[in-house]
Amino acid sequence: MIDYYSTQSSMTCPGPWAHLIEHLPNDLERLTKIVRCLIRHFADARLNGETLATERLAEMDLRCVKKMLTQIVSLSSFPLSIARSDIDKLTGCCRDFSVLVCSILRHHKIPARIRFGFSTIHIPGFHHDQTLLEYWHAKEKRWCLVDARADEKFIQRHQLKNFSTIDVPRNLFMSAAQAWRHCRRGDIPPQRIGSFLAGRMSGLWFIRNKLIQDIAALNKMEMLQWDCWGVMLENAQDSLVVPEQQVLWLDGVAETLLQSHDTLSEVQDLYRDSRIAVPQLITTYSVALGKQTIDLYS
């Protein structure tokens, strides 16, 4: 498993821009600061009262690091390690910060992977959709959670104490499988887990989608947060009902993932199911461009 997550995926491969990240640090504190100088979260722009043009919002649809770096370079000729103005930063979300850091760590042969789940930080009483990074801490022999987007302003805004952005406390992040289990056991109402990204969305259908995306990411298919395929399309986003037969199947999927997320063969076995594996054609619900069918290999 350590070897597996030390190599690039089709999503994290920097392609012709590998030379740009060659000399970036692998120290997480320094690296996340650099990435925050390259990407600006679209919500931060809104907090500043800015209205982003459609073409800038569409930068969040760049799945591959290769395309992300192409746009970053086109926005500014500065080296990646040099701070740039907000207008020269790539527009992104938490997934984009995490995926870029993941790419750089893998370039340095440091095991890293993307996790889809929910944060207890952003909105009181609500578990909000969040995509974080895990990296393997070789000395401590454990996976550490990293919130590459969070800076001092974020920490102050949410009044976080003793909060490390490069070792996020596990009680502040709930994996999609954990969220599914909590809802099914009645610990947390499904309507308290979801997203305010484009209006409030919550419920078992949303948690199901994050569960499928998390399994895909563990198999190094790090998709966008609004990408859908397979079982995720069996009921549309405007429906809150997940068929009972599907719910029972997902109970088993979630429990398997919770028990075996550090066993590569089990994670790969889950992904062999055609209802979970990412196909060539997917449906995406872009924040900028709306619903689209995408050919991942075109």
Side-chain angles (χ1 to χ4, degrees):
M1 176 166 279
I2 300 304
D3 290 340
Y4 180 69
Y5 292 118
S6 299
T7 60
Q8 302 287 11
S9 68
S10 60
M11 296 293 177
T12 64
C13 180
W17 305 112
H19 66 284
L20 293 182
I21 65 175
E22 177 67 33
H23 300 294
L24 293 180
N26 55 24
D27 170 77
L28 265 296
E29 286 278 9
R30 293 168 60 203
L31 180 56
T32 52
K33 285 183 179 179
I34 288 172
V35 168
R36 288 194 293 273
C37 289
L38 299 174
I39 303 175
R40 179 172 61 154
H41 198 288
F42 79 101
D44 292 335
R46 290 178 176 176
L47 284 173
N48 291 334
E50 298 177 48
T51 300
L52 294 171
T54 300
E55 60 267 23
R56 295 308 308 270
L57 273 177
E59 291 172 3
M60 294 194 294
D61 293 333
L62 300 174
R63 287 173 190 79
C64 303
V65 167
K66 176 175 64 176
K67 293 183 179 180
M68 292 168 63
L69 287 171
T70 298
Q71 180 64 3
I72 287 171
V73 170
S74 73
L75 289 169
S76 172
S77 59
F78 287 161
L80 300 189
S81 57
I82 302 299
R84 51 181 67 190
S85 63
D86 283 346
I87 197 67
D88 291 332
K89 294 178 182 179
L90 183 77
T91 303
C93 62
C94 56
R95 179 261 183 196
D96 303 307
F97 289 86
S98 296
V99 167
L100 184 53
V101 173
C102 183
S103 173
I104 298 167
L105 290 179
R106 286 175 177 174
H107 186 77
H108 291 296
K109 303 303 179 185
I110 296 173
R113 62 191 187 185
I114 302 301
R115 299 305 307 268
F116 285 81
F118 301 91
S119 166
T120 60
I121 295 173
H122 298 77
I123 302 171
F126 190 80
H127 302 270
H128 198 278
D129 173 28
Q130 190 174 33
T131 305
L132 295 185
L133 169 80
E134 281 185 323
Y135 83 98
W136 181 253
H137 196 303
K139 289 184 178 179
E140 298 184 10
K141 306 295 183 185
R142 66 184 178 96
W143 291 101
C144 295
L145 277 173
V146 176
D147 188 342
R149 177 251 177 133
D151 57 11
E152 286 301 320
K153 288 183 179 179
F154 179 90
I155 292 172
Q156 292 172 9
R157 184 164 66 244
H158 295 285
Q159 300 179 345
L160 300 173
K161 297 180 180 180
N162 302 317
F163 180 80
S164 171
T165 61
I166 62 172
D167 192 3
V168 176
R170 292 284 170 171
N171 66 319
L172 297 181
F173 180 79
M174 180 169 54
S175 73
Q178 289 173 322
W180 183 271
R181 175 196 272 174
H182 282 308
C183 285
R184 292 288 288 148
R185 290 182 175 180
D187 303 329
I188 304 175
Q191 62 268 26
R192 285 177 50 197
I193 303 178
S195 174
F196 279 86
L197 185 67
R200 179 164 178 162
M201 300 178 289
S202 62
L204 273 182
W205 71 269
F206 192 91
I207 303 166
R208 173 205 60 193
N209 289 8
K210 297 300 122 180
L211 176 59
I212 302 303
Q213 290 171 343
D214 194 40
I215 295 172
L218 287 170
N219 283 273
K220 300 207 296 190
M221 282 296 287
E222 300 91 355
M223 306 297 286
L224 299 180
Q225 289 171 302
W226 34 88
D227 286 340
C228 296
W229 64 89
V231 72
M232 300 161 72
L233 296 172
E234 289 189 11
N235 65 309
Q237 283 191 291
D238 59 357
S239 172
L240 302 181
V241 178
V242 180
E244 182 62 24
Q245 186 175 0
Q246 188 185 115
V247 169
L248 296 176
W249 168 67
L250 288 167
D251 285 344
V253 170
E255 288 304 317
T256 298
L257 186 58
L258 285 168
Q259 295 169 21
S260 62
H261 68 278
D262 278 337
T263 306
L264 185 59
S265 61
E266 295 288 344
V267 169
Q268 291 177 328
D269 282 344
L270 283 173
Y271 191 64
R272 290 188 179 96
D273 193 315
S274 61
R275 294 168 290 186
I276 296 176
V278 180
Q280 180 173 341
L281 294 178
I282 65 164
T283 299
T284 193
Y285 294 85
S286 168
V287 174
L289 304 174
K291 182 179 178 180
Q292 295 179 302
T293 298
I294 301 295
D295 185 335
L296 292 176
Y297 304 123
S298 65

